[in-house]
Amino acid sequence: MEKEAIEEGKPHFADLRELARKAYGPGYPKGNGERHIAFVRTYPKYELLTPEEAENLTLPSIEDVVARKSQEEEDVLVEEFKERLDFNTGATGKTISRQRRFVCAPQRPKEGWSFVVKPLGKNAPPPFVGLPDGSQREPTEDEQLYIKRNTPKARKRIE
């Protein structure tokens, strides 16, 4: 049908589709439409105010608070997803062994093992790598990634 319209010189549907695409954008939304909605607990907050302060008091609407918190939490979730995806695909941590230790135990090096040491305490020194001869060195980039992945995140769990 479109071929006949083109041959006859009549306007055809391809032009209409292109015009509609320019006017309204693509015919499908970006992503699947799933959004993270934060659970905001609301509690009464009693304050003693003067009448003048009460008149000038402006509070954000609960919808704005939920939208802002939801966006912040979604940004955190996306960032963590990207970090884990990079690690799982091997984009980061290339020298970290991904073999299962209980299936095939790695051979002990002739000079001995080196360990990542993370001192405990409030005023502890930064993590370091203890070498078999007793000396220390700074962790490499992959060892820093190992330390970061094994450090608990200092935030509440996102629901």
Side-chain angles (χ1 to χ4, degrees):
M1 189 168 145
E2 288 186 34
K3 289 181 184 178
E4 295 169 3
I6 292 171
E7 291 170 359
E8 295 174 10
K10 296 179 181 176
H12 56 285
F13 296 120
D15 293 338
L16 294 176
R17 271 189 248 129
E18 189 60 36
L19 289 173
R21 198 172 287 128
K22 285 181 183 176
Y24 301 109
Y28 52 90
K30 197 172 188 178
N32 63 358
E34 181 181 333
R35 295 287 175 254
H36 173 73
I37 305 297
F39 179 70
V40 180
R41 292 177 176 87
T42 56
Y43 298 105
K45 183 178 179 184
Y46 300 107
E47 294 182 22
L48 185 60
L49 301 174
T50 63
E52 295 82 26
E53 291 174 334
E55 288 177 8
N56 297 333
L57 184 66
T58 57
L59 296 174
S61 69
I62 191 69
E63 291 84 13
D64 294 340
V65 172
V66 168
R68 182 175 39 81
K69 187 172 180 192
S70 297
Q71 187 60 44
E72 290 171 2
E73 288 182 359
E74 187 163 348
D75 292 344
V76 169
L77 290 170
V78 168
E79 186 61 35
E80 287 180 2
F81 173 77
K82 287 180 181 177
E83 288 175 3
R84 291 178 180 146
L85 183 66
D86 286 345
F87 181 78
N88 291 341
T89 57
T92 58
K94 295 182 182 190
T95 61
I96 295 176
S97 174
R98 288 174 166 75
Q99 283 184 331
R100 296 182 179 176
R101 307 290 193 286
F102 61 90
V103 173
C104 178
Q107 294 294 319
R108 184 178 187 274
K110 289 182 182 179
E111 63 276 356
W113 299 104
S114 29
F115 292 98
V116 175
V117 179
K118 186 176 176 184
L120 301 176
K122 291 183 180 179
N123 299 326
F128 60 89
V129 176
L131 300 173
D133 61 359
S135 61
Q136 300 175 3
R137 67 168 170 81
E138 293 292 318
T140 62
E141 185 179 330
D142 288 343
E143 290 164 344
Q144 287 284 2
L145 178 67
Y146 173 78
I147 294 167
K148 182 182 174 189
R149 285 179 58 88
N150 286 326
T151 303
K153 300 211 184 316
R155 64 170 171 79
K156 292 183 179 178
R157 181 180 173 149
I158 295 176
E159 298 172 0

